[in-house]
Amino acid sequence: MDYRYKVQNDEIDKLFEALLKLENVEECYKFFEDLCTINEIEAFGQRLAVAKLLHQKNTYQEIEKKTGISAATISKISKSYMYGPGGYKMIIEKLEK
């Protein structure tokens, strides 16, 4: 499938290249705490948690109960999970190995 990324430019390429240089969780914490707000980092973690639960075939109601995240937010994540470029599925499968 030929997916057109919504945002792609030299600055973002450099950001992703920088991420690939991180070697462990501690380095990730250091970089992300400089790069993002705490709320943004928490939101990234929540999105991945919801995607994992969707991958495990949990219902919206089960996910809402487990995470406290609203059905509207779960729906947005579900759309990315189902119709996006496959990043959630790719990383979940890598994490499962």
Side-chain angles (χ1 to χ4, degrees):
M1 178 176 163
D2 186 25
Y3 185 84
R4 292 192 161 252
Y5 298 104
K6 293 178 185 174
V7 59
Q8 186 174 11
N9 62 42
D10 288 342
E11 289 177 347
I12 294 172
D13 286 350
K14 294 295 182 199
L15 170 64
F16 292 160
E17 288 169 11
L19 292 173
L20 292 170
K21 300 285 185 189
L22 298 171
E23 295 181 9
N24 55 49
V25 173
E26 184 176 348
E27 287 186 0
C28 289
Y29 271 103
K30 288 178 181 180
F31 183 63
F32 275 86
E33 282 194 25
D34 282 346
L35 183 67
C36 305
T37 67
I38 300 302
N39 288 341
E40 289 168 333
I41 296 168
E42 288 174 344
F44 293 148
Q46 289 176 336
R47 290 175 193 159
L48 181 57
V50 168
K52 283 181 181 178
L53 293 168
L54 289 166
H55 189 76
Q56 296 166 354
K57 309 291 188 220
N58 283 262
T59 65
Y60 282 25
Q61 293 80 15
E62 291 168 334
I63 295 169
E64 195 169 5
K65 186 175 180 181
K66 289 177 182 178
T67 65
I69 295 172
S70 72
T73 301
I74 295 167
S75 176
K76 289 177 189 174
I77 296 165
S78 178
K79 286 177 186 168
S80 293
Y81 176 83
M82 295 298 295
Y83 306 110
Y88 279 130
K89 292 176 187 174
M90 175 193 65
I91 201 65
I92 290 166
E93 289 170 3
K94 286 180 181 249
L95 289 169
E96 288 176 344
K97 290 182 181 178

